[in-house]
Amino acid sequence: VLGVFGFVVIETMADCSPMEFYHLFFDEEVLDFLVVETNRYAHQILNAKILSQFSRLRKWSDVDRTEMRNFLGLILWMGLVKMPSLRHYWRKDFLYSTRVPEVMSRNRFELILGFFHCGNNENTQNGRLNKIQMLIDLLVHNFNKWYIPEEKVCIDESVVPFIGRLIFRQYLKNKKHRYGIKIFKLCSKDYYTLQYNVYAGKGEVRETDVSYKIVMKLLDPYLNFGRILYTDNWYSSVKLAENLNEKNTHLVGTLRANRKNNPPEVISRKYNRIELL
C-alpha cells in the first residue's frame, strides 16, 4: 500500500467503483457488528415491555447482513435527496415517486430505525461514548488498513453539526456550524482521515495537558518513521516538540507565548523575518 490509495489496493478491485471503495470501510465485519447490536437491542426492548396485540413491535424479525446493507444505503441516499418528512420517500404520487419502496417497506425501515444500535447498553466501559465507540474503533481500523500516509500529517478539530440535546455538545464560534460534536482528527496532506477522537466534554476528561495527550494518542501508530506533524498553537508546545523529536517525528506549528514551560530565551528573543522563514 502506498501513500495514496495505492496500486496494491486498486489492482484488487474490479472497476474501482464508489461502491467498492465504500466496502473497504463498511466491510462485512462492520455490517455484522451492526446486525448483532441492533438485534440485541431489539430483544432487550421487546423482553422488557408488555406489548398490546396491535403493537407494531410484535412484527419484529431479526435483521441480517443484506437488510442492514440496504438500510444503510437508504440512510445515505436520504441524506442526498431531501424530502419534507420520512414518509414522503414512500409516497406513490408522481411528485415524490422514488424507488425506495422497491428496497424496503416503510414499516420495516421504521422498525429497523427504531432499534438501530452501535453498542451494548448493558456495557458501560466507554462512558459517554459507549453507544458509538466500538463502531468508531472498527472504522478507524479500516481507515488505517487501507491507507499509509506520506511524510506530512496534521491534527486539528472538526465539528459534526448537531442541535439536539447532548451533554457534550459544543459551541465553537469560529466554525461554520457553531453547534455540534467536536472531533480531534489526524489527517494526511490529501485530506484523508487517519485517526479521530470524539470529545466527550470536560466531565469525561479530567487530566492535564489534554492537547499533548490527544496528539500522542492520535499519532501513536505513525511515530518513529520520520514524519512531520503540522498543528496550530492549541497543540504546539516545547514538551510536545521534544517528545516527538525523541520518536523521530518533527513538529511544525505556532507557539503561544504564554504556554506553560516555554523556555524564557525563546519567548524573549526578537526574531527577524529571515530567521522565521
Side-chain angles (χ1 to χ4, degrees):
V1 182
L2 304 178
V4 292
F5 277 109
F7 300 116
V8 176
V9 175
I10 291 176
E11 287 177 356
T12 65
M13 297 181 176
D15 55 8
C16 296
S17 66
M19 183 62 71
E20 284 184 295
F21 278 102
Y22 171 79
H23 285 155
L24 289 178
F25 308 108
F26 269 80
D27 57 11
E28 293 183 354
E29 184 178 4
V30 174
L31 287 173
D32 288 342
F33 168 75
L34 295 176
V35 166
V36 168
E37 294 304 333
T38 298
N39 290 333
R40 186 205 308 273
Y41 180 66
H43 289 291
Q44 288 173 346
I45 295 299
L46 295 174
N47 293 335
K49 286 187 175 183
I50 300 176
L51 304 177
S52 71
Q53 66 179 105
F54 303 107
S55 174
R56 189 172 63 175
L57 298 183
R58 286 183 174 273
K59 297 181 179 180
W60 172 259
S61 60
D62 283 355
V63 65
D64 58 21
R65 184 189 295 171
T66 299
E67 200 171 28
M68 179 59 71
R69 184 181 288 113
N70 291 341
F71 173 79
L72 294 175
L74 289 178
I75 292 290
L76 289 174
W77 188 79
M78 289 174 180
L80 299 173
V81 181
K82 302 292 186 180
M83 293 213 179
S85 71
L86 184 63
R87 297 195 171 197
H88 278 75
Y89 290 99
W90 281 268
R91 287 182 58 167
K92 296 181 179 180
D93 50 295
F94 176 78
L95 183 62
Y96 294 105
S97 179
T98 70
R99 298 186 63 183
V100 170
E102 300 175 21
V103 179
M104 187 177 296
S105 71
R106 192 193 76 203
N107 286 343
R108 182 59 177 169
F109 180 88
E110 290 180 343
L111 267 178
I112 298 175
L113 183 63
F115 287 131
F116 181 76
H117 240 58
C118 307
N120 184 358
N121 285 1
E122 297 175 352
N123 181 2
T124 58
Q125 65 180 6
N126 293 311
R128 292 175 178 174
L129 299 177
N130 184 63
K131 291 182 182 292
I132 60 171
Q133 189 60 57
M134 290 295 293
L135 177 60
I136 290 174
D137 293 342
L138 287 171
L139 292 176
V140 168
H141 171 76
N142 286 343
F143 294 165
N144 288 270
K145 178 180 178 181
W146 297 113
Y147 186 97
I148 297 176
E150 296 181 349
E151 181 184 36
K152 299 176 181 178
V153 293
C154 67
I155 287 180
D156 203 356
E157 309 96 60
S158 182
V159 177
V160 178
F162 184 77
I163 58 175
R165 297 178 63 184
L166 187 66
I167 192 171
F168 52 86
R169 187 188 69 168
Q170 299 289 301
Y171 171 73
L172 302 170
K173 63 180 180 180
N174 295 324
K175 298 294 184 179
K176 179 180 178 182
H177 301 285
R178 297 185 178 182
Y179 289 96
I181 302 167
K182 183 161 69 173
I183 299 176
F184 298 105
K185 299 171 67 174
L186 174 70
C187 300
S188 66
K189 69 176 184 178
D190 42 8
Y191 316 113
Y192 182 93
T193 297
L194 300 160
Q195 301 265 359
Y196 68 95
N197 183 47
V198 178
Y199 179 64
K202 292 182 178 179
E204 193 78 359
V205 180
R206 301 181 182 274
E207 53 190 11
T208 58
D209 294 334
V210 175
S211 60
Y212 168 82
K213 291 176 180 177
I214 287 172
V215 172
M216 298 306 293
K217 178 180 179 181
L218 294 178
L219 200 59
D220 181 66
Y222 305 103
L223 297 172
N224 296 304
F225 291 102
R227 289 191 171 88
I228 303 173
L229 172 67
Y230 292 81
T231 66
D232 63 22
N233 59 27
W234 190 78
Y235 303 93
S236 300
S237 68
V238 174
K239 175 185 176 181
L240 178 62
E242 290 175 345
N243 278 271
L244 289 179
N245 195 50
E246 291 175 0
K247 299 181 184 298
N248 193 26
T249 303
H250 306 289
L251 175 65
V252 177
T254 53
L255 181 65
R256 292 182 181 180
N258 62 351
R259 175 73 73 178
K260 190 176 181 180
N261 298 323
N262 278 340
E265 62 272 17
V266 174
I267 302 304
S268 60
R269 182 176 176 182
K270 302 296 181 181
Y271 295 89
N272 59 45
R273 183 176 179 84
I274 293 177
E275 287 179 304
L276 293 174
L277 293 175

